[in-house]
Amino acid sequence: MKFSPPSSPPTYHPSQDVLTAYAAGTLRAGFDFVVAVHIRNCPVCAAEVREVETVGGVILSELHETDMSREAMTRTLARLSQPPNEAQPASIDELLASARKRWVAPRIWAARIDTPHAAEDRVFLLGAPAGVAPAHHGHLGAEFAQVLKGEFSDNGRVYRAGDFCEANAHEDHNPRVGTSGQCVCLFATQGRLTPRGILGRIAFRLAGI
Amino acid sequence: MDATSRLHHGGPEAAELKLVPHGLVLMQVGRKSPGPTKEDSLLARIARGDREAFVVFFEHVTPRLKTFFLQRGATPSLADELAQDVMIVVWRKAHQYDPKKGGAFTWLFVIARNRWIDTLRKERPTITYGIAPPEVASEEFGDASDSLEAVEREETIREAMSALPEDQREVVRRFFFSDQSHIDIAAGLGMPLGTVKSRLRLAMRKLRARLGRPQ
């Protein structure tokens, strides 16, 4: 699946705490992927992340020194002429493109994203047509969502393509897709998603989500 | 922000500086000239394949990189190895280093951070995180974010950091240099989670204020 960049700048952004953790490299795996996708199209957050990275640079420069091993230099010099052997990491687009759709309810699909993340967490795309309430659900931990296409509303807010939505544990969600067409979102959830209703649960489990 | 719009939003000194080029504006408002640092010159030479410069740079930065990895939780031998890995990336990507986008230590920090994330997720290569990832110095973000020259930004943050009260500085330092969540930091410092969060926020807000960004 390919997604074109949003036509207008985002309204809803990751919180300062989330951006700080992202830039420091301490954000929960999988969740950082959702933030990376947001930042890619959000110059405001990109600038903030860069600032936090600068703080990281300053702290690094002020760290005390630990002696390197005696052979470190010779080893490194010997490696300089060798060709790189590590695999190229997959890009955001490749990861999104490789996700395979599965129907989890009438007209609603989900596609698991293959990022490294905790076994109990879930990172996935969810697509639903206009006017649908895709999944009345709750979750045990945090949930990050990034709208890639269309729009949805939840608890009185409208999230459009490019927007980021952060939810905490024990919140109940009843999102509804807007009328402008299909909505596709990227999610990271801590723990399995717990859709209300047995059918939803079975479908999500079959889709590996 | 380009020079013109910066002046447009500038303070009282803006008007009289209207015609001076970008770089000079910084000097005239009484800041240090952001000339190339020692690290910048070494990286420029490394980019041209200069091994001698590489050796100097290696000795200059790896002892601090090793401390970084140790503080994130690596064993001494792993930390040593990871610092060497960072230097391999430095050798290969030095030509992508652009001092206008961030200082040398910021660039190193991003490489080291990504290397550590990869180590934690060893089972497979990860996507590259971070925004001006050193691997793809992204043009698309342009310099819209650069309300300050990169070098000056690093200098400003350095000053702001040293102006922070010790308790806030400690929280920021721990947050960056130990692989700890807020909760662990709170436990480590023996203070409630809320305190750690608010100190971190307060510290970050002060740093941002120094950069003249909205809070």
Side-chain angles (χ1 to χ4, degrees):
Chain A
M1 277 157 279
K2 284 200 162 178
F3 302 94
S4 39
S7 48
S8 54
T11 308
Y12 298 108
H13 306 271
S15 66
Q16 192 66 53
D17 286 355
V18 167
L19 291 175
T20 306
Y22 175 82
T26 55
L27 200 61
R28 200 174 169 88
F31 284 70
D32 49 6
F33 180 69
V34 183
V35 177
V37 171
H38 174 84
I39 286 171
R40 183 160 80 136
N41 288 311
C42 181
V44 176
C45 291
E48 292 200 15
V49 165
R50 202 180 298 185
E51 281 172 16
V52 182
E53 287 171 347
T54 307
V55 176
V58 167
I59 300 177
L60 173 64
S61 74
E62 290 173 351
L63 283 181
H64 65 87
E65 305 196 329
T66 308
D67 285 342
M68 291 291 284
S69 61
R70 237 178 306 143
E71 62 282 7
M73 176 75 86
T74 7
R75 268 200 201 156
T76 309
L77 288 173
R79 280 170 70 194
L80 294 188
S81 353
Q82 291 165 9
N85 55 356
E86 60 271 32
Q88 277 302 306
S91 69
I92 288 178
D93 286 320
E94 283 163 355
L95 282 168
L96 291 177
S98 62
R100 211 157 53 110
K101 283 187 194 180
R102 285 162 184 266
W103 298 101
V104 291
R107 301 156 77 210
I108 299 173
W109 56 264
R112 204 167 64 181
I113 306 278
D114 203 19
T115 62
H117 54 262
E120 69 274 18
D121 291 353
R122 294 291 177 263
V123 182
F124 59 97
L125 293 165
L126 193 67
V132 154
H136 184 196
H137 69 278
H139 24 83
L140 302 170
E143 175 182 280
F144 285 4
Q146 169 72 15
V147 187
L148 298 176
K149 198 177 160 188
E151 60 180 59
F152 76 91
S153 58
D154 189 21
N155 296 333
R157 281 181 168 179
V158 179
Y159 297 93
R160 298 189 173 82
D163 281 338
F164 182 91
C165 172
E166 186 181 338
N168 295 316
H170 312 302
E171 281 176 15
D172 199 37
H173 292 278
N174 201 358
R176 178 166 284 277
V177 174
T179 48
S180 63
Q182 192 192 214
C183 177
V184 179
C185 287
L186 171 67
F187 285 90
T189 60
Q190 202 177 348
R192 277 178 178 278
L193 202 67
T194 51
R196 304 268 180 262
I198 187 71
L199 280 180
R201 279 183 209 210
I202 293 170
F204 273 78
R205 203 157 271 256
L206 286 177
I209 285 164
Chain B
M1 206 184 279
D2 62 30
T4 326
S5 56
R6 171 193 301 221
L7 289 173
H8 190 73
H9 297 293
E13 73 278 17
E16 52 186 284
L17 289 175
K18 210 163 195 164
L19 295 173
V20 280
H22 193 68
L24 286 176
V25 173
L26 298 170
M27 282 162 56
Q28 298 205 0
V29 293
R31 296 190 187 271
K32 268 181 243 163
S33 159
T37 61
K38 169 187 172 186
E39 292 83 14
D40 290 350
S41 326
L42 286 172
L43 283 168
R45 286 171 57 197
I46 295 170
R48 294 191 295 267
D50 184 336
R51 286 190 179 227
E52 218 170 283
F54 181 81
V55 168
V56 176
F57 196 65
F58 186 101
E59 283 170 346
H60 182 52
V61 300
T62 50
R64 280 174 275 186
L65 288 168
K66 187 168 177 178
T67 307
F68 167 81
F69 290 117
L70 285 173
Q71 292 194 356
R72 286 258 161 148
T75 60
S77 66
L78 179 61
D80 205 272
E81 220 173 277
L82 293 173
Q84 295 175 42
D85 288 351
V86 170
M87 291 308 292
I88 297 293
V89 178
V90 166
W91 177 252
R92 292 196 190 128
K93 315 275 186 182
H95 63 281
Q96 291 174 4
Y97 169 68
D98 180 356
K100 288 196 198 73
K101 296 195 165 173
F105 278 99
T106 303
W107 188 65
L108 279 175
F109 166 72
V110 172
I111 298 175
R113 176 200 65 193
N114 291 351
R115 188 70 195 85
W116 180 245
I117 290 174
D118 284 350
T119 308
L120 292 179
R121 303 170 190 179
K122 213 177 273 165
E123 63 276 23
R124 63 187 118 171
T126 67
I127 57 160
T128 313
Y129 296 87
I131 263 332
E135 294 81 356
V136 268
S138 62
E139 288 303 329
E140 70 239 58
F141 295 116
D143 283 344
S145 59
D146 288 12
S147 50
L148 292 171
E149 287 281 338
V151 175
E152 197 199 3
R153 185 165 59 209
E154 211 166 87
E155 201 43 54
T156 309
I157 293 219
R158 194 180 302 281
E159 283 164 20
M161 276 287 291
S162 59
L164 287 179
E166 183 51 36
D167 55 347
Q168 286 169 25
R169 199 159 57 220
E170 184 57 23
V171 168
V172 174
R173 223 185 271 134
R174 289 220 187 195
F175 190 74
F176 275 88
F177 288 98
S178 39
D179 209 28
Q180 292 177 325
S181 65
H182 291 74
I183 298 170
D184 300 328
I185 294 171
L189 293 172
M191 55 174 72
L193 179 59
T195 313
V196 166
K197 278 194 167 178
S198 60
R199 277 190 192 167
L200 182 65
R201 277 189 203 138
L202 191 62
M204 294 311 291
R205 201 154 48 216
K206 283 188 192 166
L207 297 178
R208 291 160 59 71
R210 279 291 190 106
L211 289 170
R213 315 244 329 150
Q215 297 180 31

